[in-house]
Amino acid sequence: MLLPTLILALGFVTQEPSNQLQRALVSEEADVRYAAALELAAGDQEAEKWLLRAAGNGTPEERRTLLLAAALMGTQSSFDLIEKAARKKGRKPDQERAYALVLYGSLHPAAGLDAKKDWARTASDFERGCLLAGLLSQPARLADPEWKKLVTKKKTPGLLEIYDLAAMLRGEVWPDTPESSAEIGARLLTTHIPGVEGVAIQSLEHFRKLEFPQLWSVGARHVPARELSDLKGQALVGDRIALVLSLYEVETKDRQELFDHFRTRVIGKREAAWLWGAAGELGLSLPTVPPTEKLEDAYVAGILSLACQDFSSATFATQPYLQQAREAFQSSSNFERRWPAAALMALGGKPEDQEILKAAFLIASGSERQRLQPIWKLASRSLGSERHSWLRSWSRDLGAGWIGFLDKEGPRWVAFQLAGGTVGAEGRLEIATSYPGLQLVPRDYAGDQVLYRDLAVLLLDGVYRWGLGK
């Protein structure tokens, strides 16, 4: 299982964490503790030893932060810590166990393999919702018929929607006609998954009577397809920014024209990556940009997506960008800015770029070396059978296409279920608006508990994402 590559951007923590990092781990601010967990997770064996000694101590917030760091470390000892927290004794609801169940379900290699055993870990419907939400990262695990027996026994709202969503993530058909806002939201979000049907326009008219983010209905694949002239006549503002995904639904003959129209009008780096990733995935012609313009991640996302479909065409498309890629790679000190340029240089296959990447790889250490190793192998054309999976992983890390859209909006759907309508949600723009129809999982605690803020950060800031079979 691949851990989110977000932590690869961080340097390694050696020995005992610094005083500054230890203060961050106990901060009152959830996002500060989240960032500290990522930094600690990038540590070496000494950092892991410190974490294992510290785990279970401190405030509830600190214990949850250390659990997150342990889950991201991904070692046997750290996974044992998560498994233990997810089966914490007691039949009363427990905040630490609830948080651990999300981590266990999404990252633990054994999660979901024994349905009865995992179900027995939970003490409430909220905790069961946390477990199922985590398992959306591994939706194939929920295909076991035993899971269906357990989830449908009580017909608890929220749990049924999460379970059915897992089937859609596997490319299956929603079992019933969706009625709740949560069901409809999930149905709209997943229309671009291969094998999942689009949404009839007649249904959309009915769905608009319910409350959910309109971005989801705008971004859904419509049946029949929207007209090219209508799409070109709309401004890409507000929720209409999701119109960039209509590239997947329009007729093949109209796709290039729509892409060329949208690419000069799209606002926002994330949305540009959706558009360029879709264009690459669909094999469209990717235009060059002026040499004076800096290399944007969206361009790289498009070319990497094209490489997944047609490697030779992507290599050709890379050539006009190589000088910009070299400048970006050699001028920036921020490795998150450098590695997309490195991937483009590797794809281009020029001898001078191979030398630059080889030299960078030899002096790299820690997380940068982990990121550069497969990139260097691609440059030297020695990546072998793993090439496609790495290209997919890199394009996904850049938020390309419909997968990038789901990596942003899928966790938002879950965050509404587990933390929507709480005080903790008020500080997050993504879920600040309350949609009661999306808040179905029964809650164990009052809305002012810090747990909800920690869950929102965990779900929305990049560590958590759905399993999409790519």
Side-chain angles (χ1 to χ4, degrees), residues 108-222:
H108 199 287
L113 295 179
D114 188 330
K116 288 184 178 179
K117 182 178 179 180
D118 283 348
W119 200 251
R121 300 172 185 275
T122 65
S124 68
D125 286 330
F126 179 72
E127 291 185 9
R128 286 184 272 277
C130 289
L131 172 62
L132 292 173
L135 284 169
L136 289 177
S137 298
Q138 308 182 74
R141 304 285 174 91
L142 289 172
D144 184 341
E146 189 61 39
W147 278 109
K148 184 174 183 178
K149 293 180 184 178
L150 293 167
V151 174
T152 59
K153 186 176 181 180
K154 291 177 60 181
K155 294 183 171 56
T156 303
L159 305 190
L160 293 170
E161 282 77 5
I162 296 173
Y163 174 78
D164 287 340
L165 171 58
M168 298 194 76
L169 297 180
R170 299 192 297 268
E172 299 174 17
V173 177
W174 193 278
D176 302 303
T177 301
E179 295 180 357
S180 71
S181 293
E183 290 175 320
I184 293 168
R187 176 77 178 85
L188 294 170
L189 285 172
T190 55
T191 52
H192 294 292
I193 296 177
V196 176
E197 296 179 354
V199 178
I201 289 183
Q202 303 94 309
S203 297
L204 281 168
E205 292 301 322
H206 169 68
F207 293 165
R208 288 192 181 102
K209 299 174 184 177
L210 300 176
E211 292 188 339
F212 50 80
Q214 290 305 299
L215 184 80
W216 300 352
S217 60
V218 174
R221 184 167 57 88
H222 294 192

Side-chain angles (χ1 to χ4, degrees), residues 273-316:
W274 299 346
L275 175 65
W276 280 72
E281 185 178 349
L282 295 171
L284 303 183
S285 175
L286 302 177
T288 59
V289 296
T292 55
E293 185 175 328
K294 69 176 183 178
L295 182 70
E296 297 289 348
D297 285 353
Y299 308 158
V300 184
I303 294 173
L304 291 175
S305 296
L306 176 61
C308 294
Q309 313 301 322
D310 187 336
F311 189 79
S312 61
S313 293
T315 301
F316 179 77

